[in-house]
Amino acid sequence: MPGESQHNNETPEPNIVIVGAGFAGLSCARALKDARAKITVIDRHNYHLFQPLLYQVATASLSPADIAQPIRSILKDQANTRVLLGEVTAIDKQMRQVTVNGTKIPFDYLIVATGARHGYFGKDHWAEHAPGIKTVDDATRVRADILMAFERAEVETDTARRKALLTFVVIGGGPTGVEMAGAIAELARNSITRDFRSITPRCASVILIEAGPRLLPALPENLSVEARNALERLGVEVRTEEAVINVASASVTTAKETIAAHTIIWAAGVRASAAGTWLDTPTDRVGRVVANRDFSIPGYRRIFVAGDTVAYRLTETSFLPGVAPAAKQAGDWIGKTIAARIAGRIVPEPFRYADLGSMATIGRREAVAKLGRMEVKGLIGWLLWSLAHVYFLIGFRNRVSVAISWAWSYATYQRGVRLITGQPGALSQKIEEAA
Ligand SMILES: Cc1cc2nc3c(=O)[nH]c(=O)nc-3n(C[C@H](O)[C@H](O)[C@H](O)COP(=O)(O)OP(=O)(O)OC[C@H]3O[C@@H](n4cnc5c(N)ncnc54)[C@H](O)[C@@H]3O)c2cc1C
């Protein structure tokens, strides 16, 4: 096997490098906690981020500290593991080295779990006008943009400009788009408008655009109808079968019309990290690395890829989905497999994905969920969604703090984190320029 020949025997304490401390990378590190190995976890951020709640930060429901936890503190009790803060820029498969901030880190085993970013279907210039939410910085920037739009609208006297400032377009009808549109509508209708004097709930318009025939295609059709109805009850205008053909500064054009909107949020497509380029190995059309049955890459038994950055075939027609439970299960399985190989034990059973179901929340009192054969909606769905998200949040402090924030927000309709901080995003700058 290329690059493997001189390393057929285990070294006493092999170097295991894990790139990315997201769901996959952290699960892998934890599964290796008892392994006789030197483990290095590398991430470009010093925190693990619970991405499923990012839109709650973007819509001022939670603060970043509620959904992020320092990687060092998560792994502090794991004596065989060190954490490095740095950006990986290259991987040498033959020499078995990872380049981090210009330094080369050697490995015997490598796990690449660097996630995904937004994909604009080849129209990368749209990103400037329609940011997606993937990091804490993205979320706080979008939060500032949304809040700035309300601030500007409060003093804007021109009717058309005011309307554009208060028009929020979300592109993409998957779970992120649905949750984002619902949260903005709720922010506009129930929370923000109480704080302003010249904005009434009717002034704000939230439009969710989906190219496909229905929202939430991963859920059964009756639940996607339910989600649509719930969004419409919140005042969101849902447009399906309407592909976006252009995104410009302060406007979105579909096949039917051009909508003037100062806040445009992208939730339509993803593109895998650059892992395929670093590893110089085959990828699928969205850049995910094509992996073997054990998540290793072709020709290299000790290099694994997991999470959103892998294309892992489950059946002839389906792939492992890009969701947190799939990333966790893959990371855990790879960690256990490596631990067994190091210890000379029989490796675990072949990987089997346990599908925990899908869910999406709409505002603060409705959600739709499919868990096995069970379908849940309405308030029960929302309670289930909240419990699942609080339960899976890492760290006791975060769980308590999120539960309290939600309970407070639920009881009072107040959004506690409506701060405009740091550099304004592109949208806010655009608003300033237009003023
Ligand atoms: C807004 C949003 C909402 C979501 N909602 C849900 C949901 O409700 N339910 C669900 O199951 N899933 C949801 N997902 C998807 C889920 O978050 C992902 O499937 C999951 O995070 C994938 O885990 P991962 O470990 O592959 O990647 P990530 O969690 O993205 O982790 C990748 C890590 O790699 C690091 N990294 C990247 N590049 C480098 C580099 N060059 N050098 C060093 N480090 C690097 C990053 O900093 C990051 O820590 C959502 C995603 C988003 C963005």
Side-chain angles (χ1 to χ4, degrees):
M1 207 163 267
E4 300 267 328
S5 51
Q6 70 243 17
H7 289 277
N8 281 336
N9 297 322
E10 293 298 348
T11 46
E13 283 203 349
N15 282 312
I16 304 176
V17 171
I18 300 172
V19 186
F23 290 102
L26 264 191
S27 295
C28 184
R30 286 170 146 179
L32 284 159
K33 71 178 188 322
D34 297 321
R36 281 198 59 194
K38 293 180 195 142
I39 301 159
T40 304
V41 175
I42 306 169
D43 203 290
R44 62 181 169 197
H45 297 125
N46 79 335
Y47 54 82
H48 165 79
L49 178 65
F50 193 84
Q51 288 175 17
L53 290 178
L54 259 181
Y55 81 93
Q56 298 250 356
V57 172
T59 51
S61 237
L62 293 174
S63 78
D66 289 332
I67 63 159
Q69 174 105 341
I71 300 163
R72 284 185 195 286
S73 77
I74 297 170
L75 294 172
K76 67 180 186 307
D77 296 327
Q78 197 162 314
N80 63 357
T81 305
R82 68 171 175 158
V83 177
L84 290 187
L85 176 65
E87 173 111 24
V88 167
T89 48
I91 295 169
D92 188 328
K93 290 185 293 190
Q94 309 299 334
M95 298 301 292
R96 295 181 170 215
Q97 288 173 337
V98 171
T99 306
V100 190
N101 298 348
T103 303
K104 295 195 188 318
I105 311 278
F107 66 84
D108 297 299
Y109 288 89
L110 173 67
I111 299 93
V112 184
T114 38
R117 55 207 152 91
H118 291 100
Y120 287 83
F121 311 120
K123 314 264 188 194
D124 288 352
H125 55 284
W126 291 0
E128 186 192 341
H129 313 301
I133 302 172
K134 194 74 195 162
T135 65
V136 166
D137 288 344
D138 294 338
T140 49
R141 232 174 279 138
V142 166
R143 180 179 72 187
D145 290 335
I146 293 173
L147 298 175
M148 275 297 288
F150 285 107
E151 294 293 342
R152 296 288 321 155
E154 175 81 343
V155 291
E156 181 59 69
T157 49
D158 179 89
T159 315
R161 281 185 10 181
R162 193 151 186 271
K163 186 166 187 290
L165 281 164
L166 291 174
T167 299
F168 303 86
V169 174
V170 180
I171 304 170
T176 307
V178 165
E179 294 185 351
M180 192 72 203
I184 299 176
E186 200 167 62
L187 180 71
R189 293 186 160 247
N190 299 323
S191 312
I192 281 277
T193 47
R194 296 174 180 209
D195 299 358
F196 290 84
R197 294 294 165 261
S198 59
I199 302 173
T200 67
R202 270 194 302 276
C203 301
S205 147
V206 183
I207 304 171
L208 176 62
I209 304 179
E210 163 60 40
R214 66 183 177 98
L215 303 178
L216 304 173
L219 287 175
E221 187 146 9
N222 61 317
L223 290 184
S224 72
V225 170
E226 184 66 31
R228 183 179 187 135
N229 292 342
L231 281 170
E232 287 174 349
R233 280 195 291 276
L234 276 178
V236 177
E237 183 184 336
V238 179
R239 300 183 178 193
T240 45
E241 291 183 275
E242 196 166 332
V244 167
I245 53 178
N246 195 30
V247 179
S249 171
S251 73
V252 175
T253 304
T254 69
K256 292 184 183 151
E257 67 170 310
T258 294
I259 306 159
H262 273 282
T263 309
I264 306 162
I265 293 158
W266 185 260
V270 291
R271 174 131 204 106
S273 71
T277 311
W278 301 329
L279 293 167
D280 188 22
T281 189
T283 57
D284 69 359
R285 70 186 165 78
V286 292
R288 297 180 306 171
V289 171
V290 178
N292 296 323
R293 301 301 309 148
D294 65 353
F295 292 92
S296 64
I297 64 166
Y300 293 83
R301 286 185 61 236
R302 294 173 185 223
I303 300 181
F304 302 84
V305 186
D308 281 2
T309 216
V310 70
Y312 184 88
R313 194 175 275 287
L314 286 177
T315 64
E316 273 300 303
T317 52
S318 68
F319 284 85
L320 194 60
V323 293
K328 277 175 132 171
Q329 289 174 33
D332 180 67
W333 187 88
I334 295 167
K336 286 182 175 145
T337 300
I338 296 174
R341 272 162 69 174
I342 293 171
R345 294 196 310 268
I346 296 169
V347 296
E349 293 285 301
F351 176 75
R352 275 206 192 90
Y353 173 52
D355 186 352
L356 304 181
S358 326
M359 43 176 70
T361 174
I362 304 115
R364 43 166 239 150
R365 59 176 73 215
E366 300 211 37
V368 288
K370 172 126 177 50
L371 311 164
R373 289 192 187 163
M374 192 171 65
E375 291 180 9
V376 194
K377 54 192 184 186
L379 185 59
I380 308 259
W382 187 85
L383 289 169
L384 201 70
W385 174 90
S386 313
L387 275 178
H389 282 72
V390 167
Y391 177 77
F392 285 113
L393 261 183
I394 274 192
F396 179 73
R397 195 194 67 77
N398 299 39
R399 282 183 195 152
V400 172
S401 137
V402 167
I404 291 171
S405 291
W406 280 347
W408 178 251
S409 156
Y410 200 88
T412 63
Y413 265 119
Q414 289 301 307
R415 300 267 158 175
V417 228
R418 280 188 229 137
L419 309 179
I420 302 175
T421 54
Q423 288 292 319
L427 301 176
S428 300
Q429 277 159 10
K430 200 165 62 188
I431 293 163
E432 291 298 333
E433 282 158 21

